[in-house]
């Protein structure tokens, strides 16, 4: 491994730092583009009765309006999952390109086509919509009640999109054991948004009879399928091109407005049309992280041994299914794996509400679940008066744990290795005791949090990656994969891996084709499930070996040395025995291209279907300072330690962790979408009122790694993209508990929340509280 | 063959007719592009001593000037030939990106970089250049004289770039045979230009460390190599993208200004720079058709039997080598093949002159050579008083003729078949006699001309074509090849062939990737030598069979029917025995993409090295009306008959012939570049003064075909792109001879020329002629 494992410079660093890199809007011919603006519902639930665009049509620059009465009568699903020919594995098709039955405040009911953004916005405002209003519901458990309005009455009898359960042992019998202590708690997580830098944007035009959509998406091949389905067109008629994108974090793992834009393009005779979604729309009309509520009842022995546990999860899906139940189900499945217990009764419900749509977001349900699970461990330790770190070490998935479903196991003592590193860094054990009984206005605390995460989606869904490699005349290679660079540095990791597989001296001799184009790019599923480096590891290795074989066969022809004694090392063809360079790869390539006796364009392409999964582990430790009167928490020190297998590029891995820590700090302390209970409208749909965590809110972000080689993967690597976001909130919550003795069970721990809790616990006195 | 052989609609018809198709300038971000303007020499030969840009720099919008003193000290060749690792087969590297030693009036000596076209033009005009002037020479035979200035004194001792010869039998002995008649004539052809609609244009920018050039070129993969060589960079650093282009006719089969543009881009730190060559520059500073002069001495028996022949060819190369000697050499090689003769002495000289550069142009030397050869046959018949059509039938390459070098033969009686059709169409035999002895001012005449053309460049150079095919989810396929659509309809022919090879119902189920991108497109050499349909026939067949095999293997898995009894017919998997449809290709494709047991992205890619060649044949017959006092020729009737093997798309084939006929009429009657003998400057560098043939000059253009299946090719096809331009001028010249008795041996037959000849032959009296 000459390139893998080194912190080499990103292949896109120069272009991105200089501002030269082209993103969707840079590529759009804005001189000729018509712009789209969506007319949005101003009620949370009901039917559109009529739409009057007579005033909108008078706006100079208005071109056309299409409404929910014009769209194809095709229900489609927007989720970025691989398709399954098995209907029972297909996503819920519960929406149309524009919706007549509106399910949340802001739903898409019409679209203005105009000559410019201003005309589009003005015209959209002048559209008059008449509704038949229906009752609405904004809470998952409320929505499960028999009298709740049924939001998708066309498809379901209730608002429960899906319910699944896990049963291990016999919970009801087990809890009868005498001497058990019962800890019964509710934990609640809020709705947050991804807040990637580049809002969703796409444009569409016709070319050679196809509709081409250039889109800021994580999943071009999947968007091709969904767009074809939504338009009712053969999928080959759809071409999706993905340029560099300014982040996604899962929000762009749905087909957001590609179907709409493609459809309008068709309706406009193939004219170039563009939609550039505003930040306000990004908050409300893209996807959000599911607010999930957990109820955990733990029956434990006095020494902390878990005897029986019950889990209930209520996931707030919002108005449409999107990724739906799979998000809460991930946590459901993790519960008995992360903390094995002989008797478990666990149930998860995904419930439609009249709110913005929950979708994929970095962590895919695990930030919520890990928060609840780890708080529960802390709360059990508190109830028993035992050491919570010690309790974690005893109850977390042990080395040797085998998972029959995922067909993987805990090969190492990962949790203890990670916890050792993290707690040492913040001097946890000493400080945790020291901080236990503080008084005064400013108090300190330390806490830890843990997570588990898998890699990719097998065996739940298809996992595959295809790769094409081409030898250039100068001995460099072109590499194409369907797995997308979305800002995380994936292209660099692929280049490093490809260089090592083929035997190139330098990863810069790999020309990675960064942009995916579904007409050209080998089929790959895109950026999600922290799958990319793991999956591409397989396809790059397989394809690189195919290319290398072709190279060596050609070298055999050139040198008449037996192919078995030849190798490609440092971009040269060498004899294995003595390492003698026989011919450079560049010379071989030039000959292969131009030899009049035997010319061959040496390329390789193959699909690797992956039927394995890998577990990542890790933890976070944080030290906080709590200002009791101001109800304010400051993170003073934070460390994440990850076992994500071997690192392909340590600097990129570290950057990935930093991003996740920042996201986790925001999740813990400040971020949430606020809904007006009277209308269902989002009240803070902008970056002024939505308190995104920024560098101002961070201490130094420490990232460390335990590199346990993953045995299933050619490069020994496993998931790292999402895990860093899964473990911060519980560490901070537990640190606040250590500092103040107050367990806060709902996120975020922002001043309003702490004020309420500190009042309840008597740390401060509520001046408005009535004397009794 | 369900799709091949039908006149289906072009795949790009709708986009091109509606103006939606994107050409290079449509794709350029002109808001941010810097524009280039070349400063050109105002002498025909000499050295640049100094360049003073002080006034140019004051022009608002001026950004930068680069001169011949700044460019890399790398000599490179611009010709669009496949590279050869053998130095003796490499093109002559005789120029730099900008030239200090200027070889023609208009040579590239500096380049202005400016913010807009106007500033660039103004600045270019203000550059002051000091020269050391040298004598110049404008005629090939003059340039061969010992006292002529040596134009490439750095590389050669004389102006003869190359001399080759053919020797058959013993000419000197053979001519001693008593009773032979000697016909000794000179034939001269003029300099013309391609006059494609879209002038050469390209732009360059940096991306991921590479320089990307989007260019209106016929040969993207070759331009990649040349640009890399000119810049001294590894070829993998260069990426060439070819959009739709507005014609080329061989002019864009050179690297014209891609190296300059790429180099300026690098010097400007990767900024987007564009060059949009004007029509005036297209005429002078791109490439032109070589003016070639022929001397043919034929020793024949009274019955017309050819006993011994001598040929001398003098090709005016202009200032730089470009395609150089291969153009005149093609005619040289054709001489003894087209008209076999036991004793031949033939010599061809390619000679540098101080004129615009001769390069590839539709016909590649054969319009010139065919004109001379066929005129010679006509002149021999006239001298002998025998029928020229009969003489052709007896002397043209007969059925069974074998060519040891090209390893091909005349498999059919093609010439007679074609001549039968053509002469019947214009009632040649009757009219030729009838018109032989006219008087009066207006006279009519008929004439025929013949041609021979090969297909591609094997065995002179490398021939190969690579193809990649991808099965889409809907059972359609994507096809990529390196052979380029340049307006001729190639993409449509490829789609038809691919559909039939794979077994698709409709050619529209083939999504051809029209634009070539050297980072992605399989290696193919591009549009030249009338090679594309022939070569792609091999690679599409081979690759299509590989894809079909993968499809059938997957079908076997799905159906458990033995693979041998399965076939793909009409986009279905069928049992061969009873034709029963087992599963549609679309169903199979969707399963292959998404099956969780065995998913595979079915693709195929392969290179086919072609080691065969194929001969095309045909003729033209024309009827003209000559106005003696006005010295004006009008074509009243014209027909081309081609044996180009099986037609892939008859309508496209017919269109190809129409274009060639138009070009041939202009070549015969009106087109020529005029050079100022005092300066070497081109005097008619625009479409007002250069008399391009237009629809106003044409009668109905009749195209007919003799479809003799070419045995070497999977589709039985062979060259058609260039041949139609090779046979018109001699038919018209012979028709004028029939009408007037005047043999005009230099082209074009425009009024000035006819006035001179008619005066010489006494048909009209020159009022300025002195009484003797």
């Amino acid at each position: 491994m000459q390139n893998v494992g080194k912190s080499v410079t990103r292949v896109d660093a120069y272009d991105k730092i200089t501002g030269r890199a082209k993103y969707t809007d840079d590529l759009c011919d804005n001189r000729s583009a018509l712009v789209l603006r969506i007319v949005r519902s101003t009620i949370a639930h009901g039917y559109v009765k009529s739409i009057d665009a007579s005033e909108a049509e008078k706006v100079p620059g208005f071109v056309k309006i299409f409404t929910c009465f014009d769209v194809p009568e095709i229900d489609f699903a927007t989720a970025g999952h691989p398709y399954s020919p098995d209907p029972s594995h297909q996503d819920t098709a519960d929406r149309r390109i524009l919706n007549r039955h509106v399910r949340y405040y802001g739903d898409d009911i019409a679209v203005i086509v105009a000559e410019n953004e201003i005309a589009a916005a003005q015209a959209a405002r002048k559209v008059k919509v008449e509704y038949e209003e229906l009752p609405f519901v904004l809470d998952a458990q409320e929505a499960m009640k028999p009298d709740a309005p049924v939001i998708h009455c066309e498809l379901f009898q209730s608002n429960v999109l899906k319910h699944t359960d896990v049963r291990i042992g016999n919970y009801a019998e087990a809890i009868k054991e005498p001497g058990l202590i019962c800890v019964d708690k509710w934990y609640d997580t809020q709705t947050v948004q991804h807040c990637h830098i580049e809002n969703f944007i796409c444009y569409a035009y016709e070319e050679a009879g196809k509709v081409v959509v250039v889109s800021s998406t994580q999943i071009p091949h999947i968007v091709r399928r969904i767009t074809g389905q939504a338009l009712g067109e053969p999928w080959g008629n759809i071409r999706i091109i993905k340029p560099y994108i300014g982040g996604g974090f899962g929000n762009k793992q749905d087909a957001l407005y590609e179907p709409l834009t493609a459809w309008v393009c068709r309706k406009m005779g193939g004219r170039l049309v563009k939609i550039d979604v505003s930040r306000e729309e990004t908050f409300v009309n893209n996807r959000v992280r599911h607010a999930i509520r957990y109820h955990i009842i733990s029956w434990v022995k006095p020494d902390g041994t878990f005897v029986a546990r019950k889990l209930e999860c209520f996931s707030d899906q919002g108005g449409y299914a999107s990724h739906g139940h799979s998000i809460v189900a991930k946590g459901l499945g993790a519960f008995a794996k992360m903390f094995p217990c002989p008797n478990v009764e666990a149930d998860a419900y995904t419930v439609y509400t009249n709110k913005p749509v929950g979708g994929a977001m970095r962590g895919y349900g695990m930030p919520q679940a890990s928060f609840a699970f780890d708080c529960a461990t802390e709360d059990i330790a508190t109830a028993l008066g035992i050491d919570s770190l010690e309790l974690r070490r005893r109850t977390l998935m042990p080395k040797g744990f085998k998972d029959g479903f995922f067909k993987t196991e805990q090969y190492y003592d990962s949790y203890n290795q990670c916890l050792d590193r993290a707690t040492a860094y913040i001097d946890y054990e000493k400080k945790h005791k020291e901080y236990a009984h503080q008084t005064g206005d400013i108090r300190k605390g330390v806490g830890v949090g843990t997570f588990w995460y898998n890699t990719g989606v097998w065996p739940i869904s298809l996992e595959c990656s295809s790769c094409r490699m081409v030898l250039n005349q100068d001995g460099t290679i072109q590499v194409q994969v369907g797995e997308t660079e979305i800002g995380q540095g994936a292209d660099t990791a692929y280049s490093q891996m490809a260089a090592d597989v083929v035997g190139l001296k330098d990863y810069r001799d790999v020309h990675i084709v960064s942009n995916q184009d579904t007409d050209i790019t080998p089929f790959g599923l895109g950026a999600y499930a922290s799958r990319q480096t793991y999956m591409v590891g397989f396809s790059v290795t397989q394809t690189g070996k195919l290319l290398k074989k072709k190279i060596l066969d050609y070298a055999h022809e050139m040198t008449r040395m037996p192919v078995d004694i030849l190798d490609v090392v440092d971009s040269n063809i060498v004899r294995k025995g003595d390492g003698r360079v026989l011919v450079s790869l560049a010379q071989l390539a030039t000959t292969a291209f131009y030899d009049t006796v035997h010319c061959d364009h040496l390329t390789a392409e193959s699909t690797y279907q992956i039927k394995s999964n890998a577990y990542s582990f890790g933890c976070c430790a944080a030290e906080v300072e709590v200002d009791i009167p101001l109800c304010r928490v400051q993170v003073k020190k934070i460390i994440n330690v990850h076992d994500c297998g071997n690192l392909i590029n340590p600097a990129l891995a570290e950057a990935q962790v930093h991003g996740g820590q920042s996201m986790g700090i925001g999740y813990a302390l400040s971020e949430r979408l606020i809904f007006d209970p009277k209308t269902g409208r989002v009240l803070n749909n902008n970056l002024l009122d939505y308190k995104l965590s920024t560098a101002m809110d961070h201490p130094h972000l420490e990232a460390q790694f335990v590199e346990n080689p993953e045995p299933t993967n050619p490069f020994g690597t496993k998931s790292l993209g999402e895990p860093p976001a899964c473990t911060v909130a519980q560490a901070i919550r537990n640190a606040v508990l250590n500092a103040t003795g107050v367990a806060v069970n709902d996120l975020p721990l922002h001043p309003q929340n702490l004020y309420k809790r500190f009042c309840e616990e008597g740390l401060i006195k509520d001046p408005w509280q009535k004397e009794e």
Side-chain angles (χ1 to χ4, degrees), chain A:
Chain A
M1 291 291 168
Q2 175 142 336
N3 292 284
V4 164
K6 290 189 184 152
S7 291
V8 302
T9 305
R10 287 177 67 131
V11 295
D12 50 2
Y14 185 82
D15 283 6
K16 286 186 171 170
I17 285 168
T18 55
R20 173 183 288 172
K22 295 269 183 280
Y23 294 79
T24 301
D25 203 29
D26 299 318
L27 296 168
C28 184
D29 180 10
N30 285 309
R31 294 166 299 184
S32 66
L34 295 173
V35 301
L36 306 186
R37 181 92 188 179
I38 296 171
V39 179
R40 304 192 167 285
S41 78
T42 52
I43 63 167
H45 192 203
Y47 292 97
V48 176
K49 283 170 68 180
S50 68
I51 295 177
D52 173 6
S54 53
E55 290 302 312
E57 288 172 11
K58 294 175 188 161
V59 172
F62 169 93
V63 175
K64 186 85 183 164
I65 184 169
F66 298 101
T67 75
C68 53
F69 299 104
D70 302 322
V71 297
E73 295 191 354
I74 300 172
D75 292 325
F76 68 97
T78 62
H81 292 138
Y83 184 67
S84 170
D86 172 4
S88 72
H89 275 89
Q90 290 169 6
D91 288 296
T92 306
D94 65 356
R95 62 160 297 150
R96 295 197 173 165
I97 287 174
L98 297 165
N99 295 307
R100 202 170 85 70
H101 183 175
V102 296
R103 279 88 173 197
Y104 72 99
Y105 193 107
D107 206 343
D108 317 323
I109 56 180
V111 62
I112 298 287
V113 186
E115 285 173 8
N116 56 65
E117 294 280 357
I118 293 165
Q122 285 178 337
R125 271 198 299 277
K126 288 185 190 280
V127 173
K128 298 192 191 85
V129 182
E130 207 185 353
Y131 299 98
E132 180 191 336
E133 283 200 59
L134 295 172
F136 63 87
V137 58
L138 301 178
D139 180 271
Q141 284 181 283
E142 290 298 320
M144 290 171 72
K145 291 183 177 166
D147 58 344
V150 179
I151 296 167
H152 282 275
C153 51
E154 301 85 351
L155 294 171
F156 298 102
Q157 309 260 311
S158 82
N159 289 318
V160 177
L161 172 61
K162 199 161 183 185
H163 163 231
T164 54
D165 60 29
V166 172
R167 296 287 183 268
I168 298 170
N170 188 331
Y171 175 85
E173 276 303 310
I175 63 174
K176 292 177 184 162
E177 182 180 330
L180 297 180
I181 294 123
C182 175
V183 182
D184 182 334
K185 299 276 180 188
W186 287 80
Y187 304 96
D188 209 0
T189 60
Q190 79 278 38
T191 304
V192 295
Q193 218 272 336
H194 315 66
C195 298
H196 37 73
I197 294 175
E198 183 200 29
N199 292 329
F200 175 76
I201 179 172
C202 77
Y203 61 88
Y205 56 96
E206 276 185 15
E207 190 175 87
K210 296 184 165 198
V211 58
V212 184
V213 187
V214 180
S215 177
S216 181
T217 180
Q218 304 174 209
I219 47 165
H221 273 292
I222 290 175
V223 167
R224 180 195 209 187
R225 185 256 303 166
I226 296 169
T227 304
Q229 290 174 320
L231 270 62
E233 287 206 37
W235 305 355
N237 284 9
I238 314 292
R239 178 180 175 194
I240 308 291
I241 297 172
K242 176 223 154 275
Y244 283 134
I245 81 172
F249 303 123
N251 188 38
K252 296 171 183 169
Q253 197 208 328
D254 260 57
L256 293 169
Y257 290 115
E258 292 95 341
L260 171 74
T261 309
W263 177 73
V264 172
C265 171
R266 285 289 200 211
K267 296 294 281 186
M268 297 301 294
R271 273 288 300 270
L272 172 62
V273 295
K274 182 177 92 163
I275 190 163
D276 187 357
V277 164
S278 67
R279 179 62 66 183
E280 287 74 10
E281 289 173 301
T282 301
F283 271 109
V284 179
N285 310 109
N286 284 187
R287 300 292 175 266
V288 297
R289 190 187 288 291
H290 290 76
I292 310 181
R293 190 175 296 142
Y294 298 89
H295 183 204
I296 302 178
I297 307 171
S298 304
W299 298 83
V300 295
K301 294 186 181 168
D303 67 354
T305 305
F306 291 178
V307 174
R309 301 186 86 189
K310 190 180 183 69
L311 169 72
E312 289 175 304
C313 321
F314 304 94
S315 179
D316 181 345
Q317 181 50 53
Y320 294 98
S322 176
H323 282 250
H325 191 65
S326 49
I327 283 165
V328 69
K330 183 159 190 152
L332 178 78
F335 182 64
K337 269 200 278 273
M338 200 168 159
F339 299 94
C341 175
N343 301 287
V344 173
E345 229 178 77
D347 293 84
Y349 303 87
T350 294
V351 191
Y352 282 123
T353 65
N354 295 110
K355 282 163 78 182
V357 181
M361 183 172 167
R362 195 179 195 177
Y364 210 78
M366 288 314 294
Q368 298 97 310
S370 311
F371 172 75
F373 300 168
D374 211 303
C375 291
T377 304
E378 193 75 27
D379 292 346
I380 290 163
T382 305
L384 300 179
I386 63 174
D387 182 67
S388 63
L389 179 61
E390 178 55 26
L391 183 61
R392 277 189 191 85
R393 291 186 187 273
R394 275 165 46 202
T395 55
L396 277 163
M397 185 193 299
K399 181 175 175 185
F401 176 91
K402 286 195 178 60
D403 184 336
F405 179 66
F406 278 104
K407 300 269 189 307
T408 184
E409 65 178 85
Q410 167 64 296
Y411 300 102
Y412 304 94
D413 194 17
S414 299
Y415 276 121
N416 284 318
Q417 292 169 316
C418 293
L419 284 168
D420 289 348
R421 296 275 287 275
T423 54
Y425 177 78
I426 64 161
D427 199 6
Y428 176 89
E429 300 200 45
K430 176 165 163 270
K431 287 182 179 170
H432 194 256
K433 288 195 185 82
E434 202 176 294
Y435 294 155
H437 305 288
Q438 296 164 82
T439 55
D441 283 353
I442 309 293
R443 302 185 196 171
K444 288 185 167 180
V446 291
V448 297
T450 57
F451 79 91
W452 157 94
Y453 210 79
N454 57 347
T455 308
V457 299
W458 181 261
I460 299 162
S461 288
L462 176 69
E463 271 301 357
C464 69
S465 170
S466 301
C467 174
R468 177 172 177 247
M469 289 189 187
V470 174
L471 182 65
N472 288 325
Q473 287 94 332
D474 58 0
T476 62
I477 63 171
Q478 302 287 141
V479 172
Q480 292 171 275
V481 292
E483 280 65 36
T484 52
E485 169 66 60
I486 64 166
Q488 77 285 59
D491 282 348
T492 307
Y494 304 157
S495 299
Q496 292 174 266
M497 296 193 291
D500 281 351
V501 171
V502 178
L504 305 189
K505 186 166 188 179
D506 193 318
Y507 77 107
R508 284 167 296 196
D509 291 335
V510 175
H511 298 284
I512 184 95
V513 179
S514 184
N515 295 0
Q516 278 73 21
D517 174 341
T518 56
D519 266 16
I520 288 164
T521 306
F523 186 73
L525 299 163
Y528 59 86
S530 301
R531 61 185 290 279
Q532 296 208 128
T533 309
Y534 184 79
M535 303 305 163
V536 170
F538 292 98
S539 62
V540 155
T541 300
Q542 176 174 281
T543 308
K545 283 181 178 172
L546 290 172
L547 182 66
K548 191 168 174 175
K549 185 183 179 316
K550 290 188 181 181
I551 290 169
L552 293 179
D553 285 345
Y554 202 90
H556 161 68
E557 250 186 81
M558 281 180 80
T559 64
R560 301 305 305 162
M561 288 287 109
V563 72
D564 299 340
I565 70 162
L566 298 176
D567 198 4
V568 187
V569 178
D570 278 356
S571 298
N572 287 312
I573 310 299
V574 300
R575 276 196 309 237
K576 284 183 196 164
D578 59 359
R580 175 73 58 92
V581 174
L582 302 182
V583 62
S584 74
L585 189 53
Q587 288 171 289
L588 178 141
T590 306
T591 308
F593 268 91
Y594 298 112
D595 192 77
T596 49
V597 175
H598 174 202
C599 96
D600 203 356
H601 182 219
L602 299 182
T603 72
E605 182 167 1
S606 73
T607 301
Y608 196 106
Q609 181 168 15
I610 294 99
K611 296 192 179 182
S612 59
N613 206 310
Y615 285 171
S616 279
F617 308 95
C619 65
C620 173
E623 179 169 5
V624 303
E625 188 177 275
V626 185
D627 183 323
I628 309 274
L630 282 180
C631 300
R632 179 166 171 238
V633 177
Q634 273 190 301
V635 182
K636 305 304 274 186
K637 225 169 176 183
I638 190 164
I639 179 173
N640 268 37
V641 184
H642 289 263
D643 174 7
C644 57
N646 293 335
L647 301 182
I648 306 302
N649 184 315
L652 286 176
E654 204 176 356
Q656 193 69 274
V657 175
H658 292 163
Q661 287 174 309
S662 172
M663 201 173 247
I665 290 170
Y667 194 53
L669 296 179
S670 60
E671 296 181 38
R672 62 162 182 160
L673 278 183
I674 306 169
F675 300 90
D676 178 357
K678 296 203 191 83
T679 61
R681 186 177 165 194
V682 174
L683 297 174
N684 59 340
N685 61 352
N686 59 75
L687 287 170
L688 188 64
D689 297 322
Y690 180 92
K691 301 299 178 189
L692 184 69
S693 157
T694 72
M696 301 288 286
D697 305 302
H698 308 159
H700 164 74
L701 301 170
E702 178 72 10
Q704 293 187 15
F705 300 92
V706 170
E707 290 191 67
N708 291 323
E710 166 59 33
T712 58
N713 183 264
F715 295 94
T717 192
K718 52 190 180 178
S719 69
L720 178 65
E722 296 169 271
C726 299
T727 185
V728 174
Q730 54 269 41
I732 291 174
R733 179 267 190 188
N734 291 337
V736 172
L737 172 61
N738 179 227
T740 64
V742 178
V744 186
N745 291 353
D746 51 345
L747 289 174
L749 280 66
H750 62 331
Q752 297 95 311
N753 194 9
L754 291 182
Y755 178 78
K756 177 173 71 78
R757 288 290 293 128
F758 289 169
C759 286
E760 283 168 6
E761 300 288 338
L763 268 69
I764 53 178
K765 191 172 150 54
D766 185 347
W768 288 278
Q769 196 180 6
K770 284 187 189 143
E771 301 275 341
E772 296 191 35

